[in-house]
Amino acid sequence: MAQTDLTRYFLSQQLTALGVSRYEFCLVDANSGRAERHLWSASHALSRLGWLKHRNANEWHIYLRPEAREPIVLVDDLSEAGVESMRADGLGALCVVESSPNNFQAWVRIAESPIPHELVTGIGEVLATRYDADLRAKSFRQPGRAVGFTNVKPKHKQDNGLFPFVRLTEASGLRAEHPEALVDAARTLLQKRRASRAQVRNRYLKRSKRVGLEDPRSFFENAVAYICQQYGADTDLSRADAAAARRMLTQGYAPADVADAMLRSSAIHERRGCRAADYVDRTVAWAVDHVG
């Protein structure tokens, strides 16, 4: 009797539970940070399974997410208690994945037709806050782990030298009950944030009339370089980026200029790969919320 290919079996279940026409597969080399994106149907993804396994065996992370137009939210870094709380609240998940031992990801469908990306991200923030999940993973673009492959983060390497498999713990395809309440909560959150940022933007505009501003990308890269010079090999590059972004805001650059400067920085793309845009969004949002 032929042996069942468990990766094919469980990945097929995950894709069926998510139930969309196309998926973005994001592959990241754990050693170099190099990233690749592929937009595939479920059937095409399964036809490339041997190649995906080969990449994973060579310590590439295998992520996926439904095509961006789909109103589906990833709730990342959940505890088992968090998953149970979601169920108790009627938040049925399309599927639940154990991404590393005792750490879970849940995919939640909010609507049947597309809604604004900003609103999807807002719902991600509401859910992450409510269930003590990872706020950094709130973006509508956030990928999750593909099941049946190993999680090749060095911290998860086992005593036998192997990495743990990403497991599918639920694939019910359930929809969230009363998703309109989540939509309302996200709208309220976003309205408050817009009002707060409008006040901050007005301060930037007043400053920008008084300050002759250099090219945003040059300012950002020079600020990061200065921080790296101060801290040397101990520099936390994520903190350096955030500090440079905040410095730009205090000098009168608008948030959009900061984001553009970061997106034009080749160093960020080399480090963040297919997650660069999400990383920039989070960093600029943090800087706006923490500017003095």
Side-chain angles (χ1 to χ4, degrees), residues 130-144:
R130 187 175 296 175
Y131 297 104
D132 195 25
D134 187 357
L135 279 166
R136 296 171 300 176
K138 65 184 180 181
S139 172
F140 75 94
R141 302 188 189 100
Q142 181 67 30

Side-chain angles (χ1 to χ4, degrees), residues 134-178:
D134 187 357
L135 279 166
R136 296 171 300 176
K138 65 184 180 181
S139 172
F140 75 94
R141 302 188 189 100
Q142 181 67 30
R145 294 272 174 186
V147 301
F149 301 97
T150 56
N151 182 333
V152 295
K153 282 187 177 179
K155 68 179 182 180
H156 295 315
K157 183 176 279 191
Q158 301 167 140
D159 292 341
N160 59 8
L162 301 177
F163 294 99
F165 277 92
V166 177
R167 299 173 55 246
L168 185 65
T169 63
E170 181 182 326
S172 62
L174 289 175
R175 266 51 172 175
E177 296 178 15
H178 310 299

Side-chain angles (χ1 to χ4, degrees), residues 6-7 30 52 63 65 90 104 145 183 185 211 214 220 247 256 277:
L6 293 178
T7 298
L52 290 171
Y63 300 103
R65 63 187 176 210
F104 299 87
R145 294 272 174 186
V183 173
V211 181
E214 67 178 281
F220 174 77
R247 176 65 176 163

Side-chain angles (χ1 to χ4, degrees), residues 21 31 50 99 113 126 152 160 169 172 175 193 198 255 257 276:
S21 58
N31 297 306
S99 56
S113 55
V126 168
V152 295
N160 59 8
T169 63
S172 62
R175 266 51 172 175
R193 185 160 293 154
D257 293 329

